[in-house]
Amino acid sequence: MAQVLPERGLRRVIGDGAAVADGEVEGLGEDDLLALYRSLVLLRTYDERSLVYHRQGRIGTYAIFWGAEAMQAGAVHALERRDWIFPSYRESAIGLLRGIPVSTVLSWWQGHPAGWWNPADYNVASICVPIGTQVPHAAGLAWGMSLRRRLDGEDTGVAIVFFGDGATSEGSFHEGANFAGVMRAPLVLFCNNNQWAISTPLASQTAAATLAEKAAGYGMPALRVDGGDVLAVFEATREAVARARADEGPTFVEAVTYRAAPHATADDPTAYIDGERVEEERQNECVGRFEGYLRRAGLLDDEVAEQVRAEALETMRAGIAAAEAEPPGDPSLVFEHAYVDAPAVLAEDLAALRRLLGE
Ligand SMILES: Cc1ncc(C[n+]2csc(CCOP(=O)(O)OP(=O)(O)O)c2C)c(N)n1
Ligand SMILES: [Mg+2]
């Protein structure tokens, strides 16, 4: 079985309800904690329902993010609305936390044109499927914002880009991180280190002891955090965002977890993953950990928890209904926007597609 790297020096706030005491994050009040909980439950519910919709044939291949919710919610709550988010496919539903409708994200997974949004409406970039290419996009946008701040005195925001451990082996990651470091771009490079890139384990991905060490080569500091601890993620991201806002340049955040679900609906991880470790991770998953924290603090009881879950489920029901009420997309969209002068063969292909669809 593949070796996983040791998890050294991870920042944690949430205790284990026994020997390890709960910590606190300065400045987070009761309402903030409950808002964070609502975001976690919405993401979890989105993910679990999406898997069901996939099995029912209602959406296409889906990249599961079960167990990664704390990284997404913790980081987004550390941002302001004007700050930009660059998601990978693993953060496909992160825009829900910015008000993108559930139906839009489900439509995206249906391959339906209703799944596209104008990034400027939400300051959430398009979901990036090519590994790592969102990093230079985010570095460029962040640099642009800092230029506007310096040259035009505009009160601009910062940017955060999400990518996986596997992405750190890509040229795009290097180019984006290097550019952000040199230009002192106000960017948070948030690495979701779930220790797998489909079937490639972290130990085969890098010879470095931690991914955070890579930051030194780009002249930026790094924070290493338990990615299953939503409060630790929030706190670390808030520090990174504060540096970016103060024009101190980019920060690398390595959030360490262990992928506790298949890579995507098309994957069978039993062929390569350590089942016992997955089971351990599932027992210690991030939503339950935060729920335990809130209950120990007397901020959550069964009634509120049930109400939050019911609301999220209702949002999902309405979302899938709205996505399925969309009229079918125009097949010509598949062919548009690729060529100024399309080759004749594409017109023939489109005609064939229309015949196939009975149009
Ligand atoms: C440029 C590019 N190469 C290969 C792929 C195929 N691919 C899809 S997901 C994936 C693994 C990425 O792993 P990681 O960066 O750790 O992100 P995770 O899926 O674990 O969140 C690969 C290689 C791709 N999408 N883009
Ligand atoms: Mg990974």
Side-chain angles (χ1 to χ4, degrees):
M1 201 49 68
Q3 281 249 305
V4 293
L5 298 180
E7 295 170 9
R8 62 195 101 181
L10 292 183
R11 184 193 295 210
R12 292 194 173 92
V13 175
I14 301 176
D16 62 1
V20 183
D22 289 323
E24 268 183 34
V25 178
E26 209 191 309
L28 273 190
E30 197 174 310
D31 288 350
D32 302 314
L33 292 168
L34 286 174
L36 206 42
Y37 177 66
R38 275 198 194 85
S39 291
L40 276 180
V41 172
L42 178 61
L43 290 176
R44 171 63 53 88
T45 310
Y46 177 93
D47 185 73
E48 290 184 345
R49 292 310 298 160
S50 290
L51 189 56
V52 173
Y53 299 150
H54 168 76
R55 290 195 176 129
Q56 292 172 339
R58 299 162 85 178
I59 62 170
T61 301
Y62 171 68
I64 303 156
F65 59 77
W66 199 98
E69 299 90 344
M71 293 183 277
Q72 303 177 14
V76 170
H77 278 250
L79 303 174
E80 292 177 12
R81 175 63 177 73
R82 66 190 164 136
D83 298 330
W84 274 78
I85 301 171
F86 285 75
S88 82
Y89 53 83
R90 191 67 71 204
E91 294 81 28
S92 65
I94 204 163
L96 302 185
L97 307 186
R98 278 282 173 85
I100 294 182
V102 163
S103 58
T104 303
V105 186
L106 289 172
S107 291
W108 192 88
W109 285 108
Q110 289 174 328
H112 190 287
W116 295 101
W117 63 86
N118 178 358
D121 289 346
Y122 302 98
N123 288 9
V124 178
S126 304
I127 299 164
C128 195
V129 177
I131 304 302
T133 55
Q134 72 276 28
V135 182
H137 300 164
L141 183 128
W143 178 48
M145 288 198 293
S146 72
L147 286 178
R148 282 193 169 165
R149 188 154 60 207
R150 279 176 225 155
L151 302 177
D152 304 335
E154 269 185 46
D155 184 20
T156 52
V158 306
I160 187 167
V161 57
F162 291 88
F163 53 91
D165 45 304
T168 63
S169 301
E170 286 284 347
S172 297
F173 164 76
H174 165 71
E175 288 155 17
N178 194 52
F179 186 87
V182 171
M183 306 314 281
R184 294 171 65 84
L187 179 67
V188 180
L189 294 106
F190 192 103
C191 181
N192 147 32
N193 176 7
N194 62 11
Q195 310 198 40
W196 291 93
I198 312 184
S199 56
T200 302
L202 187 60
S204 307
Q205 193 72 250
T206 181
T210 72
L211 294 176
E213 283 167 33
K214 291 176 186 266
Y218 301 111
M220 64 179 83
L223 300 166
R224 256 188 126 230
V225 60
D226 178 343
D229 181 332
V230 70
L231 295 178
V233 170
F234 170 84
E235 197 182 50
T237 310
R238 188 172 66 178
E239 280 174 35
V241 166
R243 283 195 73 246
R245 270 200 224 297
D247 249 338
E248 289 168 18
T251 304
F252 186 95
V253 177
E254 180 187 357
V256 184
T257 58
Y258 188 89
R259 209 189 70 214
H263 166 76
T265 47
D267 176 40
D268 174 12
T270 57
Y272 60 85
I273 216 161
D274 177 347
E276 269 179 41
R277 175 76 193 267
V278 168
E279 203 36 55
E280 255 173 51
E281 294 295 327
R282 293 188 75 86
Q283 294 306 321
N284 195 30
E285 53 79 27
C286 61
V287 180
R289 277 168 76 183
F290 190 49
E291 214 170 284
Y293 178 92
L294 292 175
R295 283 176 191 270
R296 290 192 291 279
L299 298 177
L300 187 73
D301 56 21
D302 288 347
E303 198 185 323
V304 176
E306 187 40 46
Q307 191 193 328
V308 172
R309 246 176 272 141
E311 269 169 28
L313 264 176
E314 189 41 46
T315 305
M316 288 307 298
R317 271 191 217 109
I320 189 74
E324 290 181 336
E326 284 288 339
D330 178 353
S332 65
L333 284 172
V334 174
F335 299 89
E336 278 175 12
H337 308 301
Y339 294 93
V340 173
D341 299 309
V345 67
L346 287 191
E348 288 165 28
D349 286 352
L350 177 57
L353 183 58
R354 287 198 189 283
R355 275 199 301 281
L356 200 71
L357 295 170
E359 290 183 2

